[in-house]
Amino acid sequence: MRNYTQFYIDGQWVDPITPRTAEVINPATEEVSGQISLGSPADVDKAVAAARKAFATYSQTSAKERLDLLETIQAEYAKRESELGEAIMEEMGAPRPLACGFHTMLGSGHLATAIEVLKTFKFEEERGVTLIRKEPIGVCGLITPWNWPMNQTCVKIFPALATGCTMILKPPQLAPYSAQILAEILHDSGVPAGVFNMVQGKGSEIGTAMSTHQDIDMISFTGSEPVGVQIQKDAADTVKRVGLELGGKSPWIVLDDASLAAHVAGATAGMMGNSGQTCSAGSRLLVPNSRMDEVKKVAAEAANGVTVGDPNGNFAMGPVVSKRQYNIIQQYIEKGLEEGAELIAGGAGRPEGLDKGWYVKPTVFVGTNQMVIAREEIFGPVLVIIGYDDLDHAVEIANDSAFGLGGYVSGEDLDTCRALSRKMRTGAIWVNGGFDFHAPFGGYKRSGNGREWGDYGFEEYLETKAVIGWNPA
């Protein structure tokens, strides 16, 4: 049992002002795995005061000083990376190879990227008589989700530290353990008191207190569209900057060529990764109508080949994060059946032999882009296959969405893939796979605003100042 009932404020572990706890449930067992404290607006006030005080000095540190700090954190992170993986497995149910592999690697990757960017980042530039300075925006409120805990936390914390900002982190209530360990890493690395603060609690209470706080200069939020909309409304009265990375219903276009079967199999298995709980997951698979029979056979085989079970075992997919999430996914599966979508793999209920834990069958439908299961973010292992007549039709389907976070194009003709990527209205597009920590990540339309990752992530935390007359005319 984990007992994380203190917050990290002003360089110390402190008790909440008003004692109140909540249980944390292991999604693989449905049993209590620990408890955390639930904070209040008074705890937020205390953390903001510490961050505001620390900003006066930390904002004036040199890039070299911040670089040295990040490199110290890098060494501490490496020491406890396996411990972070174990926490992620326990808090949100990722299988051990995934939790102790890609999950924690994303955190260390964002840290290494922040170090690399900081080494050459230009905070000042002279243009004629004017000096243009990029200065830290101030005190930042960071609100993170449960689906990729280290990715979403580290992609905010390390650019904020690198640019000279101070911050208050509100980790996800469903997956709070890894954030607690990360706070210990930052403390042991000598992050100055007040620069990093952490308050656990409910998003509706802590998130609202942060979004409306007059002494917080910026909110960076990753999560659902409805919550992002509310945060933007709450932040309006104080005219603070708001960065939002929200939902997605990402299209994956597969070209009509000799590699179609391999790409369909890869896209189907990829949709099931992390139990489908990825905002940029390719949840709409667009394939040529002329080859639909072949596609259905390949996709069904791929989905049925995804093993599901205990995160401690040798399985490709674990449970979804909670009972509530499980029930939402089941409702969408039932909705797909009601709408007349053709079910070719999976379906309602738990996989055979799994009577406990929030496990979902890897599910594949064939449907149309007007169905609810193709319009709304399900956030589970549910794929919708949609046929297209030609590539113009494919682009039309891809762009016919309220979201625009991610997109994928797979095919042998690179020029065709590139041409399609130019026409798709999404913030990031993966052509035949690939991965890049320096590529900006963020959404069009209802998928949010702002960009994270690489040097674009630095810009989120910077203000621009012009000093006219710096040089004589």
Side-chain angles (χ1 to χ4, degrees):
M1 291 282 289
R2 297 177 187 259
N3 189 41
Y4 293 154
T5 56
Q6 289 188 311
F7 304 144
Y8 187 73
I9 298 176
D10 204 15
Q12 297 180 336
W13 291 100
V14 299
D15 293 326
I17 292 174
T18 302
R20 187 170 50 137
T21 60
E23 294 177 337
V24 179
I25 306 300
N26 184 325
T29 65
E30 301 179 41
E31 296 174 355
V32 177
S33 63
Q35 67 172 352
I36 60 168
S37 286
L38 300 178
S40 67
D43 296 299
V44 173
D45 288 341
K46 186 176 179 181
V48 172
R52 177 60 62 192
K53 179 181 177 182
F55 182 72
T57 52
Y58 189 69
S59 63
Q60 301 304 308
T61 56
S62 67
K64 177 63 167 61
E65 289 173 304
R66 299 194 298 274
L67 183 62
D68 288 345
L69 177 60
L70 289 175
E71 288 177 339
T72 301
I73 295 170
Q74 189 175 42
E76 289 294 327
Y77 188 102
K79 292 177 186 176
R80 302 189 67 179
E81 191 161 357
S82 62
E83 190 178 343
L84 284 165
E86 293 291 329
I88 291 168
M89 183 177 69
E90 186 175 1
E91 66 190 358
M92 55 82 64
R96 185 184 298 276
L98 177 63
C100 296
F102 195 50
H103 267 279
T104 58
M105 183 276 284
L106 285 168
S108 60
H110 287 306
L111 177 51
T113 303
I115 290 170
E116 184 179 349
V117 171
L118 183 55
K119 287 179 179 178
T120 58
F121 194 85
K122 292 183 178 180
F123 289 93
E124 292 189 349
E125 176 189 356
E126 292 185 17
R127 292 186 186 178
V129 300
T130 300
L131 174 71
I132 299 173
R133 281 178 51 82
K134 293 181 178 180
E135 300 180 343
I137 192 169
V139 176
C140 303
L142 313 178
I143 305 173
T144 57
W146 46 260
N147 59 320
W148 289 95
M150 277 300 95
N151 176 58
Q152 308 289 8
T153 302
C154 293
V155 78
K156 300 181 191 299
I157 289 175
F158 297 134
L161 285 174
T163 53
C165 293
T166 60
M167 68 211 72
I168 302 94
L169 172 68
K170 207 294 291 182
Q173 185 181 346
L174 289 176
Y177 297 155
S178 56
Q180 182 88 9
I181 296 169
L182 183 61
E184 294 172 2
I185 290 171
L186 297 176
H187 176 79
D188 292 343
S189 300
V191 174
V195 170
F196 170 83
N197 306 272
M198 183 184 73
V199 178
Q200 303 268 19
K202 295 183 177 180
S204 58
E205 296 178 14
I206 304 305
T208 300
M210 291 167 62
S211 300
T212 58
H213 206 292
Q214 63 181 3
D215 284 330
I216 289 182
D217 301 293
M218 174 190 174
I219 293 289
S220 179
F221 169 77
T222 299
S224 70
E225 179 204 351
V227 176
V229 170
Q230 188 59 53
I231 285 174
Q232 202 154 32
K233 290 178 179 179
D234 290 342
D237 287 342
T238 51
V239 200
K240 57 171 58 68
R241 183 183 297 176
V242 178
L244 301 173
E245 194 259 276
L246 306 177
K249 198 68 184 177
S250 300
W252 192 319
I253 299 175
V254 178
L255 302 189
D256 185 358
D257 59 30
S259 298
L260 177 139
H263 288 141
V264 167
T268 303
M271 180 62 221
M272 310 308 167
N274 209 43
S275 300
Q277 300 168 128
T278 301
C279 51
S280 58
S283 53
R284 293 184 295 146
L285 184 59
L286 312 186
V287 301
N289 272 317
S290 61
R291 299 180 68 177
M292 186 60 76
D293 289 343
E294 177 186 357
V295 167
K296 288 194 288 187
K297 180 181 178 181
V298 171
E301 289 177 353
N304 292 330
V306 175
T307 56
V308 185
D310 185 347
N312 283 291
N314 186 27
F315 298 98
M317 198 177 100
V320 296
V321 74
S322 66
K323 178 180 180 180
R324 178 177 181 273
Q325 192 64 25
Y326 174 87
N327 288 336
I328 289 172
I329 295 166
Q330 296 303 311
Q331 289 167 10
Y332 274 114
I333 292 172
E334 294 293 345
K335 185 66 177 176
L337 295 171
E338 290 173 12
E339 291 181 308
E342 180 185 359
L343 179 68
I344 63 171
R350 292 181 172 91
E352 186 176 354
L354 294 171
D355 299 322
K356 197 172 187 180
W358 306 120
Y359 296 97
V360 177
K361 296 175 184 177
T363 297
V364 181
F365 285 104
V366 178
T368 72
N369 202 49
Q370 301 311 311
M371 292 178 173
V372 170
I373 56 172
R375 308 301 297 180
E376 299 181 8
E377 185 178 42
I378 299 173
F379 226 61
V382 180
L383 176 67
V384 183
I385 298 174
I386 302 168
Y388 65 78
D389 297 327
D390 55 33
L391 292 181
D392 287 338
H393 189 210
V395 172
E396 179 185 341
I397 296 170
N399 290 338
D400 182 14
S401 174
F403 298 105
L405 186 60
Y408 303 79
V409 185
S410 296
E412 295 180 352
D413 188 329
L414 183 57
D415 288 338
T416 300
C417 291
R418 287 170 171 168
L420 290 173
S421 74
R422 292 180 183 275
K423 297 177 182 179
M424 295 167 70
R425 297 284 294 168
T426 70
I429 296 173
W430 287 265
V431 175
N432 292 326
F435 190 83
D436 184 2
F437 274 109
H438 289 273
F441 184 74
Y444 286 24
K445 298 184 276 188
R446 293 188 185 179
S447 290
N449 55 57
R451 293 293 181 269
E452 297 182 305
W453 296 56
D455 57 338
Y456 281 83
F458 276 42
E459 299 289 351
E460 287 281 280
Y461 299 94
L462 293 169
E463 289 280 25
T464 301
K465 174 187 286 182
V467 185
I468 302 99
W470 180 268
N471 291 320

